[in-house]
Structures are given as C-alpha cells and as structure tokens.
Amino acid sequence: MEVTFDDVARAHERIAEHARRTPVLTSATVDALTGARVHFKCENFQRMGAFKFRGAYNALAQLAPEERRRGVVAFSSGNHAQAVALAGRLLGIKALIVMPADAPRVKLEATRGYGAEVVIYEKGESREQVAAKLSREKGLTLIPPFDHPHIVAGQGTAAKELFEDAGPLDFLLVPCGGGGLLSGCALAAKHLAPGCRVVGVEPAAGDDANQSFRARALKSIPVPTTIADGARTTSLGKITFPLVLRYVDDMTTVEDHELLKSMFFLWERMKVVVEPTGALAACALLEKRIEARGLRVGVILSGGNVDLAWAAGKLLGR
Amino acid sequence: MEVTFDDVARAHERIAEHARRTPVLTSATVDALTGARVHFKCENFQRMGAFKFRGAYNALAQLAPEERRRGVVAFSSGNHAQAVALAGRLLGIKALIVMPADAPRVKLEATRGYGAEVVIYEKGESREQVAAKLSREKGLTLIPPFDHPHIVAGQGTAAKELFEDAGPLDFLLVPCGGGGLLSGCALAAKHLAPGCRVVGVEPAAGDDANQSFRARALKSIPVPTTIADGARTTSLGKITFPLVLRYVDDMTTVEDHELLKSMFFLWERMKVVVEPTGALAACALLEKRIEARGLRVGVILSGGNVDLAWAAGKLLGR
C-alpha cells in the first residue's frame, strides 16, 4: 500500500495537539568526535517515552466511529503497547493489549497505567490465535506495531520535524526494527531533501533488514538475541519493505557491546536517557559506520524506556 | 553591589551566540502527580553540562583587554572549573584552575579537556594562599564561583529564557548553593512576573542559606556532607545574600535520600540525566514542599554532570 509525504503531513496535523514536538539537541563533543554537525531528534522525550506514540495516535484517530466504539487490540510487550494504550485513552477508545505471561512487571504496570486492559497469553497459545479470538468475539480492530500505512505515516512525522527544526541534512540515521520508523522517516526525508542519504541501523544479531535490503527480497530470521529489544523483529513488513527499498540508501549494523557503549555515552555526555534500541543510529555514527566528516547529520534517538537497574548492572559489569 | 534585570538582559545578549538556549520540557506524569503544570528548564543540556557556563562566560567576556591578556584563575573541583575553562577557550583567555589533589580524575581531565591548565594544591596550603600567589606572580583575575555581579547576571539568563519559553509562572523553584543561580533567577523572575513566588532549595545537611534567610543575617556552616556536591557551600556571598533577601520568597530543604529518589525519577520518567544538585528544585516539588496544585510551576534542573558508575552503585544500593 502506498504511503506518501502527504500522508505524513496529514498525520502531523492529526497528532500535533497530542504528540510532543520533541527537541533537537546538538553536542560540541559529538561534533568534535565526528567532524560533522550532528542534530539529535530526541524521541526519548516523546509521550510514553518513544516515537511509537506518533504512529499509534495517527492510526487510532483514523478509525471509523463504529471501529472506535468497539475498541482496538495490539500485541506488544514493549513501547507499542504503551503507545496504543495512551492513544486509546486520549481518543476514548478502549484498548486491549496482549502480552506474554513473562512480560516485565514494569511494562505491564505502565501499560495498565495508561488505561489499557492487559490480556496475558500463555506459552501454549500463539499471538495469532489470541488475536483471532479477540477479534471474533469482540470485533476489535488490530493495530499492528509497524506494518500499516497509518503507523508508517505517523512515524515519518519525526523526520519532518527534524528537518523543520535542524534545516537541511546530508545524512539521516534511523534505528530499524520492523521498519515503521525507518520507512516513514526515509520517505519524509527524500521528499524534503532528495539529496539526503538515509541509512537504517540494526543490531548485528538481528540483521534481517540488512539482508532483505541487499537481497532485494524479504528475508526472515529467528527472533534475535540482542539488548536492542525494540529491534528483536524477525523481518520487515509487507508495507515497510518496499518503502525501505525505495527510500533508504543504505543499511548497516552495530554490535551489542558498541551499542551499550554508545548508550552510556549519550547518558553521560549528552545527559539524555536513551534505551538500547534508541541508541542504534547514534552508535552507527559514533562507531564510524558512515563517513560524516564535514556533513550535516540527523540522528533519531528513538526511545528512552530502559530499566535503570538493568542499565546500572550493565554499567558495573554485572 | 547592585545587580539589575538590565544586567541580566545584557548578559543574555553577550552569551547568546555561545550558550545553548536549553529546552523547556514538560511531563504529563509530573503534572498528574503534582496537580500543577510544570516546566523544567534543562540546564543539564547547557554547554559543559550545567548553568555555570552562563555566568562564567558573562564574567570573562567583560574583562578589560589587559586582564584578558594576563588570564584568569578559578578555584573549583566542580562545574565552575569546567565553565571557566570553556569560556576561557572560547574567548581566547588563558585559564588556570586550582583543584585539590584529591579531585576526581574525571573532573581533572574534563577541565583539561576544555583547555585549561590545572594547578593542584596540597592539603597543607589554603586556597587563599594559592590564589594570592598566582595573582601576585601572574597577575591573574580571580573568577569567583558565585559571589560576583557578572556571575549572578549570567545565571539569571536561565530564568529569563524559561519565562520567555514557558509563559507566566506562579512558582519558580531554584537549587541553591552559594546563591548565584538563585539570586540571578529570582531577580529576573520578579522583574518579568512580580507575582511569581520564588523558592530556593538546599540539601538539608547544608541549610546555611535557609538559616541566613530566616535570621536575615548571613550564617555560615562547616562544609556539609551531602550528595549534592554543587551545594557543599558554607554560606551565601556578600553579593548573593542581599539579593536572596530581596527577591526570594521562601527557602526550603530536602533530604539526601529524597534527592536521590527524585534524581532517578527524572532519569527514568523524564529521560534526563540530572546530577544530585541539579535535582534539588525538582525534589522540593515532588516531595511536596510547596503546594502547587492548579498552578504553573517553573523548575530549574541546574546540571547533569554525574559519575554514572557512582549513580549505578547508589541505584543498586551499594
């Protein structure tokens, strides 16, 4: 399904009153290290702590009255859950979030805190079975985490704001899980600055999008083991893959140990709490996966929902 | 010595090209917890990681050509050291920073990294002796950490920006060490919004300014033991104390364990890395030292220079 810049622009109007226009930060230290002029779009400051709110709100706001009345369902143990929960609350749409029985307690509580009903599924069942059942019994609309044109258009508003606030960019680096943020930002970037080179960044252990991009065919991998929990996806989507092929110039990967180092660098030097997935694009820059010297670079810091105790343990090497 | 809003306005013009106009963040979570509409001025994103750059740059920029040529000296093991070092580098003024022999290695390196020469003094000597010697031998101008009209005027620009960006405020909460930030922000606030109530916040263990404020006489205490290392001051200054008496409406304190809790709350929920001293004002709000329900509140987050390993240890209870 086609997604265009007009869709991004309309999404932007739709979310304007509810999403936060997150700040764009610069860092003399990062500029000195890279030789570039780097602009960080801080989606860790977005509502519920990640860019996901943009897409979720844009999707829920476009439901028909009858769909709104019946409610929505989403499957996620991560940021998408909280995004759908919060968008639902703001729009008065009942949200059911299906989470695995072993989801972290803090995520369960955060999702409930945003007003959603959480449905736990057991190991024996599949997400699809639970989905079919809920959809059949309650007539709920499924809100997918990335593979939906309204989700993609919503995520693209992050890049639109970045270009509006930072001015022209030569490079745009974007974290990649299922490709919703990457494809939305890439299509927005190519519309606003056709010469801007867009690069998607995955954890090395979960490089399915890199594989698909190089093969020009949709590849799948087993669920990857990586600290970048927002990028533990097994493949791009039917909608995001063609958009990535069309609008993204290159893909790259970073190792988990590099990601951890970059994450703490962002905490310590830029004073921003970013989660591992949120640091993917910054890591590609800091680890010199691209040659940025003399260029204007945009980096999406996509989220900041990290368990501090986990991070403290990693920091102290435990 | 008198400091006026005109001094703040002129300081603002002077630093505009070099200091960062730091973002003002809001938090739905904080608003829900407090019943207020809270605006956080994020000076942790200021250059060198704290508001101190504003005052230091404003002071160094006003030195006479002959003073510039000879250079400056400052005594600090904290943010003032880095502020003077950076301002000196930007203005082409040689900076000597006098640090105790047991200053943290990371602070030494950061100060040298900003281009200053670090002079270590041994336990036997006093700061004053070292100062007198350096001033006599090298003709250096001493840049005090807070008790100077140019420093006060520079720090006041943080409040000026906050009012410009957040609009009218009913309350302004400001961390207090030697009172440079507090007095500068208070005089700016009272000029811009005479009805705004300004409250200074100290660590309970270092409550000299609270004592002085209540006695209306300048009190001194021994060097306090508190995690708020930027507020380990023993008294307000000859310049800051009268300004605090004139422009500040109230003073309050918070305990170290509350401060630590608030600091990590800001990290986890607002995704901003703030140092203990930087969280003082936020802590007074979160711990309900003021009744803010229904009001518009400004909070200065004054800095973010915290050792991550130290914080991780505190977080994990070690």
Side-chain angles (χ1 to χ4, degrees):
Chain A
M1 201 185 293
E2 194 64 20
V3 187
T4 68
F5 185 76
D6 276 353
D7 297 319
V8 176
R10 277 198 294 269
H12 206 200
E13 289 167 19
R14 214 169 274 127
I15 70 173
E17 268 183 53
H18 300 283
R20 195 165 283 153
R21 190 176 183 105
T22 54
V24 175
L25 295 182
T26 58
S27 160
T29 306
V30 171
D31 288 359
L33 280 173
T34 59
R37 177 64 174 163
V38 188
H39 299 265
F40 292 91
K41 176 65 170 169
C42 295
E43 285 296 294
N44 55 327
F45 299 143
Q46 189 48 267
R47 293 190 75 166
M48 47 63 58
F51 73 95
K52 289 277 186 184
F53 177 72
R54 297 176 182 270
Y57 190 91
N58 189 48
L60 265 67
Q62 291 180 76
L63 294 179
E66 176 56 23
E67 292 172 316
R68 287 188 179 220
R69 200 188 54 73
R70 286 198 302 264
V72 297
V73 59
F75 297 81
S76 169
S77 55
N79 290 332
H80 180 58
Q82 295 172 58
V84 171
L86 177 57
R89 192 180 75 192
L90 293 169
L91 288 160
I93 299 172
K94 191 178 159 190
L96 274 190
I97 309 293
V98 183
M99 287 183 152
D102 60 352
R105 193 183 164 73
V106 59
K107 299 268 183 180
L108 282 170
E109 284 171 5
T111 306
R112 287 196 185 108
Y114 285 118
E117 186 182 331
V118 174
V119 176
I120 302 292
Y121 73 95
E122 300 298 331
K123 294 260 166 172
E125 303 174 280
S126 78
R127 290 185 167 200
E128 289 69 22
Q129 289 169 332
V130 180
K133 198 171 147 200
L134 286 167
S135 186
R136 197 171 53 235
E137 287 177 5
K138 309 196 182 192
L140 305 178
T141 303
L142 179 70
I143 308 295
F146 54 84
D147 208 29
H148 189 290
H150 298 172
I151 300 283
V152 169
Q155 320 305 31
T157 60
K160 179 171 180 282
E161 290 180 7
L162 173 56
F163 277 88
E164 286 169 359
D165 292 346
L169 298 170
D170 304 304
F171 256 115
L172 178 64
L173 298 174
V174 187
C176 178
L181 180 66
L182 175 57
S183 61
C185 286
L187 81 85
K190 289 298 184 181
H191 177 89
L192 293 166
C196 176
R197 224 174 135 68
V198 180
V199 179
V201 186
E202 284 183 305
D207 68 342
D208 60 280
N210 274 263
Q211 290 184 33
S212 300
F213 181 81
R214 300 201 198 294
R216 300 190 70 80
L218 191 53
K219 303 285 180 183
S220 280
I221 59 170
V223 175
T225 299
T226 166
I227 59 167
D229 54 345
R232 283 183 198 143
T233 40
T234 58
S235 76
L236 293 169
K238 290 187 175 63
I239 289 162
T240 56
F241 175 54
L243 292 170
V244 165
L245 275 190
R246 180 162 170 192
Y247 294 113
V248 173
D249 294 288
D250 205 358
M251 297 287 307
T252 189
T253 62
V254 294
E255 300 289 338
D256 271 17
H257 71 272
E258 297 171 317
L259 192 54
L260 207 57
K261 192 175 137 207
S262 293
M263 184 183 88
F264 287 126
F265 175 91
L266 294 168
W267 291 33
E268 185 163 87
R269 301 306 296 258
M270 289 194 60
K271 323 298 180 193
V272 290
V273 174
V274 176
E275 61 189 270
T277 312
L280 279 167
C283 183
L285 176 70
L286 292 167
E287 295 291 339
K288 306 204 184 290
R289 293 295 193 279
I290 64 160
E291 177 46 59
R293 193 156 293 278
L295 301 179
R296 295 173 57 92
V297 180
V299 172
I300 310 268
L301 301 178
S302 58
N305 291 328
V306 54
D307 185 297
L308 287 188
W310 173 86
K314 285 289 178 188
L315 189 80
L316 299 176
R318 279 185 281 265
Chain B
M1 201 185 291
E2 194 65 19
V3 187
T4 68
F5 185 76
D6 275 355
D7 296 319
V8 176
R10 277 197 294 269
H12 206 199
E13 289 167 18
R14 213 169 273 126
I15 70 173
E17 268 183 53
H18 300 283
R20 195 165 283 155
R21 188 176 184 104
T22 54
V24 174
L25 295 183
T26 59
S27 160
T29 305
V30 171
D31 288 359
L33 281 173
T34 59
R37 177 66 174 161
V38 188
H39 299 265
F40 293 92
K41 177 66 170 168
C42 294
E43 285 295 295
N44 55 326
F45 299 142
Q46 189 50 267
R47 294 190 73 164
M48 46 66 55
F51 73 96
K52 289 277 187 185
F53 176 73
R54 296 176 182 270
Y57 189 91
N58 189 48
L60 266 67
Q62 292 180 75
L63 295 179
E66 176 57 22
E67 292 172 316
R68 288 188 178 219
R69 201 188 52 74
R70 286 197 303 263
V72 297
V73 59
F75 298 82
S76 170
S77 54
N79 289 331
H80 180 58
Q82 295 172 57
V84 171
L86 177 57
R89 191 182 72 191
L90 292 169
L91 288 160
I93 299 172
K94 191 178 160 190
L96 273 190
I97 309 293
V98 182
M99 286 184 153
D102 60 353
R105 194 183 162 73
V106 58
K107 299 267 183 182
L108 283 170
E109 283 170 5
T111 306
R112 287 197 184 108
Y114 285 118
E117 184 181 334
V118 175
V119 176
I120 302 293
Y121 74 93
E122 301 297 331
K123 292 263 167 173
E125 304 173 279
S126 77
R127 289 185 169 200
E128 290 71 20
Q129 289 168 334
V130 180
K133 197 172 147 202
L134 285 167
S135 185
R136 196 171 54 235
E137 289 176 4
K138 309 196 181 190
L140 305 180
T141 303
L142 179 70
I143 307 295
F146 54 84
D147 209 28
H148 189 290
H150 298 172
I151 300 284
V152 169
Q155 320 304 31
T157 60
K160 180 171 180 280
E161 290 179 6
L162 173 57
F163 276 88
E164 286 169 358
D165 292 345
L169 298 171
D170 304 303
F171 257 115
L172 179 63
L173 298 172
V174 188
C176 177
L181 180 66
L182 176 57
S183 61
C185 286
L187 80 84
K190 289 299 184 180
H191 177 89
L192 294 166
C196 176
R197 225 174 135 66
V198 180
V199 179
V201 186
E202 285 183 303
D207 68 341
D208 61 280
N210 274 261
Q211 290 184 33
S212 300
F213 182 81
R214 301 201 196 294
R216 299 190 71 81
L218 191 54
K219 304 286 181 183
S220 279
I221 59 170
V223 176
T225 300
T226 166
I227 59 167
D229 54 344
R232 282 181 199 146
T233 40
T234 59
S235 77
L236 293 170
K238 290 186 176 65
I239 289 162
T240 57
F241 175 53
L243 292 170
V244 165
L245 275 189
R246 180 162 170 192
Y247 294 111
V248 173
D249 294 287
D250 205 358
M251 298 286 307
T252 191
T253 62
V254 294
E255 300 289 339
D256 271 17
H257 71 272
E258 298 171 317
L259 192 54
L260 207 57
K261 194 175 134 204
S262 293
M263 183 183 88
F264 286 126
F265 175 91
L266 294 168
W267 290 33
E268 185 163 87
R269 302 305 297 257
M270 290 192 60
K271 323 300 178 193
V272 289
V273 174
V274 176
E275 63 188 270
T277 313
L280 279 166
C283 183
L285 176 71
L286 293 168
E287 294 292 338
K288 305 205 185 289
R289 293 294 193 279
I290 65 160
E291 177 45 59
R293 195 156 292 278
L295 301 179
R296 295 173 57 92
V297 180
V299 171
I300 310 267
L301 301 178
S302 58
N305 290 327
V306 54
D307 185 298
L308 287 188
W310 173 86
K314 286 287 176 187
L315 189 82
L316 298 177
R318 281 184 280 265

